[in-house]
Amino acid sequence: MYRTALRNVLAHKGRLLMTMLAVLLGTAFVAGTMVFSDTFGNALRTQNSKSYTDIAVTVSDRDAARQAYDHTGEDSEGPALTEEIRKAVAALPGAAEARGVVSGFAGIADKKGALIGNGFSTTGTNYVPGADGTDPRYPLVDGRGPHGSGEIALDTNTAEKGGYKVGDTVRVAVNGPVMELKLTGTLTTNDPRVLAGGSLAAFDTATAQQLYLSPGRYAELDVKSKPGADDTALLAAVKQTAPQGDSIEAKTGRELAAEQDRMIQQGTKVLSTFLMVFAFISLFVGIFIIANTFTMLVAQRTKELALLRAIGASRRQITRSVLVEALLVGLLASAAGLLAGIGIGAGMQSLVSAMDDTMPQGSLVIKPLTIAVTLAVGVLVTVLSALLPAVRAARIAPVAAMSSVEQPATQKSLRVRNTIGLLFTLAGAGALAAGAGGKEYKLVGLGAGTLLIGVFVLTPLLARPLIALFAPLLRKVYGTPGKLAQENAIRNPRRTAATASALTIGVTLITALTVVGASVNKAVDAATANDLKADFTVAMQNGSKLSPEVASQIAKAPGVSAMSVMREIRVTTDKGDSDYEFLTGVDAATIGQLATVKVKDGSADALKQGKLMMSSGTAERLGFKVGDTMAVTYPDKTKGSLTVGAVLEANSALANIIAPDNVVGPHALPGSGPAKVLVKGANGADEKLKQALRDATGGNPLIAVKGEKDIKAENRQLITGMLNMMYGLLGMAVVIAVLGVVNTMAMSVFERRREIGMLRAIGLDRIGIRRMVRLESLLIALFGGAVGIGLGILVAWAGNRTMADSFKNMTTVVPPLQIVGFLVAAAVIGLLAALWPAHRAARMDILGAIKSE
């Protein structure tokens, strides 16, 4: 029987080709994902290890680091890493050097004033020259390091992007007006933030301390050990010397490198999981193709299987024979998929490098686990997909099989299948509705999966009535070929359903993503238009706080008719599920002109009365109602009590808890500026006002001035980018679905040779034969596409309901042009998939086809 199985694989190479391709593509996606994740992660870890090669111990001050990056104001009252501490650490036995580090955000403007890079990857730091005048951490490429407050050095990539060379004047800013500094040199770095596409601005130490902290203070001390010194002993000595406090932490370089490695591993694991989801979607689509192929092969070999049963083969042997065929197919396809996946992994690595030449590079990593998982997944999916056809093959009675080419499904088996499908469909629909009503996304996901399975099981029942809807049109337009195509498509509803289901999965997911994307876009656009009355918002691109002077500068800008700061502070409270809340100060007199303030309960003049306003969701979470008081401890350690004056409808332009700025402002840390400024112009949102605001903020490239159109465009760009990425990943599943249609049509043509020969003999020409096959494929694809679109819209509706709390007035938006486009795309897929089978059917020899069995 094993020799028979091997002979059958060799005898049906052509018919198994599409199945092997489906397994190959699915396993290639799995292998490619694992190879790329391992290679990219290894390159990041190698790069990370270089950052700590010369660091034995690091002492960090978390408060100082937060202050430097968030601009939270003056130094905290806790312990600090000062110049005296640095000198004391450097003098410890075993310490060769102690380097003081100060870093934060620093935006570099190109010669047109635009920010180089994005706001979150702009790094500013201090340049610490040694005895030779150079900083070993930042090797110079050209020029020299910066000296004094009027000089700066840049990394080579940033200088190149900005068109700067040594001696030029560079425009750089932190959170206030632009500084014009002389470029004294260009340098290189192994800082991961910079290598990942960011920018690096190096100041001398005094300038960096003035910009980010205060004179003589550091956020970190990096200690280099003497040759032969023990890092653990040095760490203990450093801990004794460094100030004691909750914000001060000392670790060895090895510990820091290990922590970074864990973070990198976690990040690559998330990336790998994300990609693997789409890989398994492709494999899931392949299951339908594999099962369909083996079902058709078994049907075409009923006489052969009957003969084996008649001469003594048992049912178990027949089942094993079919499963061995599947095992061989899976093993060969998985091996080919592994090789293709290695190529895909290498290609993805090259693509990332081509898109950004600053990304880390490394040799290709192919782990034994990747090989084992790829082969195991491919073989397992193929064998499991062929299990049901194998069991059916073993159940065919010898006499019945000898007398019939294909055994029709019994009424009992169809009733059982329809009953199971109906139960799954009802359970899935119920879970979907319950999840949507309760806003439980996990229940929605479970319901969607169950519903999909139920509909897949029911598709043979749905195929006949849905395809029959096209019968009048086909007969009227295409005559006999159209009628024959419709009858062929519903002749074997199980086969049609299995073929269409592969396409249905891809269309369902694409439709759901499209509807969700359109719904989110509309909700965000509506919230921006309805909630925000201000013509422009002014804020830092990296999310840090503006300079304290920015608000007064904006107030003086020509064309400004109203403005309000949004000053965010963190207050400690004993209410809610957290020990702190964020309180945002606004201008009580003007906020109503800048944002839509809809009061659900309380007074619209609450802010003018010195009281709080809370969103309804926050009030419910904290258990507050109008008139209640909230005891708070401010950042400056003073205590206070605030009264809730109003509960508001949710508003995307406002914070969850707002208060008058004259209440919040005095308790903000000195030097701490607003998170955002809302501005309304006397003449509306014109370009003149926008430029005036840019000028008022000193042309800082890190400060973004955005109007309603800018905010909408930014949101749409983000959502469109995410959708396009997912469409691309789902493309593999669609390709596999196309292979399934090609496979089904080709095998269907093969088993209908005599029928096609008879049609030719009684007068149907080659054009009619080609048209018949193409229309049959078209009907199957349209059926799969229509079911997928319906399911996708339903799943998107349920998903949208779970996001109702995140997006105000969330409704389900079905973009008609895109939905019609998906249906047209399904039709095109059906026509393209039928080209080769139709050509093969039309060129069939009439007499040879009639004589075939």
Side-chain angles (χ1 to χ4, degrees):
M1 293 302 296
Y2 294 128
R3 288 197 298 271
T4 301
L6 178 60
R7 179 183 61 80
N8 284 326
V9 171
L10 296 175
H12 300 112
K13 296 188 295 291
R15 291 181 238 176
L16 290 169
L17 177 62
M18 296 300 173
T19 297
M20 295 183 71
L21 280 175
V23 179
L24 186 155
L25 291 174
T27 53
F29 205 159
V30 172
T33 294
M34 297 183 73
V35 169
F36 172 70
S37 299
D38 291 339
T39 301
F40 190 60
N42 184 66
L44 286 174
R45 285 190 292 272
T46 301
Q47 175 183 287
N48 174 61
S49 65
K50 294 178 181 178
S51 301
Y52 298 97
T53 52
D54 60 345
I55 297 178
V57 175
T58 289
V59 188
S60 58
D61 181 350
R62 289 192 297 271
D63 284 349
R66 188 182 304 115
Q67 175 185 330
Y69 279 96
D70 295 341
H71 302 292
T72 52
E74 292 184 349
D75 296 345
S76 62
E77 297 178 358
L81 299 177
T82 62
E83 177 64 17
E84 290 73 20
I85 297 294
R86 187 196 70 78
K87 291 178 179 179
V89 170
L92 289 172
E97 177 187 351
R99 172 194 177 96
V101 178
V102 183
S103 60
F105 290 115
I108 310 299
D110 62 19
K111 293 186 177 181
K112 294 181 180 179
L115 178 68
I116 299 176
N118 63 68
F120 292 96
S121 62
T122 57
T123 303
T125 191
N126 59 319
Y127 187 86
V128 184
D132 61 353
T134 64
D135 188 336
R137 195 168 184 182
Y138 304 114
L140 286 168
V141 175
D142 190 17
R144 59 172 177 81
H147 300 297
S149 59
E151 296 182 348
I152 191 175
L154 299 177
D155 67 282
T156 53
N157 286 326
T158 300
E160 183 178 347
K161 291 176 183 177
Y164 293 119
K165 60 182 182 297
V166 174
D168 287 349
T169 298
V170 178
R171 302 179 74 245
V172 59
V174 180
N175 68 332
V178 169
M179 301 174 288
E180 295 190 348
L181 308 178
K182 180 182 178 181
L183 180 63
T184 62
T186 58
L187 45 82
T188 59
T189 177
N190 56 15
D191 187 329
R193 294 169 297 180
V194 181
L195 293 176
S199 62
L200 177 67
F203 309 94
D204 72 348
T205 297
T207 302
Q209 289 174 331
Q210 185 67 40
L211 289 172
Y212 299 117
L213 294 172
S214 60
R217 189 180 181 195
Y218 300 101
E220 182 179 301
L221 298 179
D222 292 338
V223 186
K224 184 177 180 180
S225 62
K226 293 178 180 178
D230 181 64
D231 290 355
T232 304
L234 181 58
L235 174 64
V238 168
K239 285 183 176 180
Q240 292 294 324
T241 306
Q244 304 300 307
D246 293 338
S247 67
I248 306 297
E249 186 177 37
K251 292 184 178 180
T252 65
R254 290 193 302 271
E255 289 176 327
L256 290 172
E259 285 182 4
Q260 289 295 320
D261 283 350
R262 285 193 292 270
M263 292 176 62
I264 290 170
Q265 185 176 4
Q266 185 178 4
T268 53
K269 184 179 179 180
V270 171
L271 173 64
S272 177
T273 301
F274 177 74
L275 294 174
M276 201 65 75
V277 168
F278 291 91
F280 280 104
I281 289 173
S282 299
L283 284 170
F284 185 61
V285 172
I287 287 174
F288 292 92
I289 299 172
I290 299 165
N292 207 20
T293 300
F294 277 95
T295 298
M296 296 178 74
L297 284 174
V298 167
Q300 293 170 11
R301 291 162 44 201
T302 49
K303 287 188 177 182
E304 174 189 329
L305 294 173
L307 181 59
L308 290 172
R309 289 293 312 281
I311 62 176
S314 66
R315 287 187 173 183
R316 182 174 296 180
Q317 286 178 311
I318 295 295
T319 301
R320 285 179 181 174
S321 175
V322 177
L323 291 180
V324 168
E325 291 181 46
L327 177 65
L328 292 172
V329 169
L331 192 58
L332 291 172
S334 299
L338 175 62
L339 295 176
I342 293 172
I344 290 174
M348 292 174 70
Q349 181 77 351
S350 299
L351 179 62
V352 169
S353 300
M355 293 173 63
D356 190 343
D357 57 6
T358 61
M359 296 302 286
Q361 296 296 306
S363 57
L364 211 61
V365 177
I366 306 170
K367 294 183 178 179
L369 180 63
T370 300
I371 299 173
V373 168
T374 303
L375 295 178
V377 167
V379 170
L380 188 63
V381 166
T382 309
V383 171
L384 289 179
S385 302
L387 182 59
L388 188 58
V391 172
R392 287 177 180 168
R395 289 178 177 175
I396 298 175
V399 175
M402 292 287 284
S403 62
S404 175
V405 174
E406 183 176 355
Q407 296 298 307
T410 64
Q411 290 299 317
K412 180 180 178 181
S413 68
L414 290 174
R415 282 198 300 270
V416 171
R417 175 173 180 147
N418 292 339
T419 301
I420 293 173
L422 184 61
L423 290 175
F424 268 91
T425 301
L426 291 176
L432 205 67
K439 299 176 182 178
E440 294 287 341
Y441 69 91
K442 290 183 179 178
L443 188 57
V444 167
L446 178 63
T450 306
L451 179 63
L452 282 172
I453 293 172
V455 171
F456 291 157
V457 176
L458 284 177
T459 41
L461 181 66
L462 300 173
R464 191 179 296 274
L466 289 179
I467 290 177
L469 295 175
F470 296 95
L473 178 64
L474 292 177
R475 291 177 183 178
K476 183 177 180 180
V477 177
Y478 297 106
T480 300
K483 178 181 178 181
L484 291 172
Q486 184 254 339
E487 291 177 351
N488 288 334
I490 61 177
R491 176 190 297 184
N492 191 331
R494 281 186 173 180
R495 181 182 303 166
T496 297
T499 306
S501 294
L503 186 60
T504 297
I505 297 171
V507 176
T508 297
L509 295 173
I510 290 173
T511 301
L513 286 173
T514 301
V515 173
V516 169
S519 303
V520 171
N521 270 331
K522 183 178 179 181
V524 172
D525 284 353
T528 303
N530 298 330
D531 295 347
L532 186 66
K533 292 182 180 179
D535 294 319
F536 293 103
T537 64
V538 181
M540 297 288 287
Q541 294 193 48
N542 53 28
S544 61
K545 295 183 178 180
L546 293 161
S547 171
E549 298 79 21
V550 167
S552 59
Q553 292 167 345
I554 288 176
K556 299 174 184 176
V560 174
S561 62
M563 62 156 285
S564 172
V565 298
M566 297 190 75
R567 190 188 312 276
E568 184 180 81
I569 63 172
R570 192 171 81 164
V571 296
T572 303
T573 177
D574 57 356
K575 281 282 192 175
D577 53 4
S578 174
D579 61 353
Y580 65 86
E581 296 291 334
F582 286 99
L583 185 63
T584 300
V586 298
D587 190 323
T590 60
I591 190 64
Q593 303 175 50
L594 301 163
T596 302
V597 182
K598 291 186 178 180
V599 177
K600 293 183 69 174
D601 188 21
S603 171
D605 294 326
L607 293 177
K608 295 178 182 178
Q609 298 166 5
K611 299 178 180 179
L612 295 177
M613 283 185 166
M614 281 188 181
S615 67
S616 55
T618 302
E620 182 179 351
R621 176 174 61 84
L622 296 177
F624 279 113
K625 61 182 183 297
V626 173
D628 289 348
T629 58
M630 181 171 70
V632 299
T633 302
Y634 294 105
D636 60 2
K637 307 304 180 183
T638 61
K639 297 182 181 296
S641 180
L642 299 171
T643 302
V644 178
V647 175
L648 307 177
E649 290 186 7
N651 187 306
S652 60
L654 294 175
N656 290 327
I657 307 176
I658 58 176
D661 190 53
N662 58 12
V663 172
V664 173
H667 299 290
L669 291 174
S672 177
K676 185 186 295 185
V677 179
L678 304 181
V679 181
K680 194 169 187 64
N683 299 317
D686 57 9
E687 285 298 319
K688 188 176 180 180
L689 175 61
K690 191 173 188 178
Q691 187 59 49
L693 294 176
R694 288 198 185 106
D695 294 339
T697 56
N700 188 332
L702 273 174
I703 296 179
V705 180
K706 298 177 183 177
E708 181 181 324
K709 291 182 179 178
D710 301 318
I711 297 172
K712 288 181 177 180
E714 190 176 81
N715 292 331
R716 284 185 173 274
Q717 185 178 10
L718 177 63
I719 295 170
T720 301
M722 293 176 60
L723 288 177
N724 288 339
M725 179 179 63
M726 292 186 180
Y727 289 155
L729 293 171
L730 285 173
M732 185 70 76
V734 174
V735 170
I736 294 175
V738 173
L739 293 178
V741 179
V742 174
N743 199 31
T744 298
M745 296 309 303
M747 296 184 74
S748 179
V749 166
F750 177 81
E751 70 180 20
R752 301 203 313 252
R753 298 188 308 278
R754 178 179 291 182
E755 176 186 318
I756 293 172
M758 291 296 295
L759 290 172
R760 288 293 313 281
I762 61 176
L764 189 63
D765 58 12
R766 289 184 174 180
I767 294 177
I769 294 293
R770 280 196 294 266
R771 183 170 292 166
M772 176 188 72
V773 175
R774 287 199 297 263
L775 290 175
E776 180 183 350
S777 178
L778 173 66
L779 286 172
I780 293 173
L782 284 174
F783 169 60
V787 173
I789 287 172
L791 286 173
I793 293 173
L794 182 60
V795 170
W797 167 80
N800 287 342
R801 292 292 300 273
T802 66
M803 296 187 289
D805 291 338
S806 301
F807 298 97
K808 184 180 176 183
N809 298 323
M810 183 78 164
T811 58
T812 298
V813 178
V814 181
L817 292 179
Q818 288 172 282
I819 296 302
V820 171
F822 295 153
L823 197 59
V824 171
V828 171
I829 286 172
L831 292 174
L832 292 176
L835 288 178
W836 177 60
H839 176 75
R840 182 180 177 187
R843 293 181 62 84
M844 199 175 290
D845 179 71
I846 296 176
L847 295 179
I850 292 174
K851 290 190 296 181
S852 65
E853 296 187 7

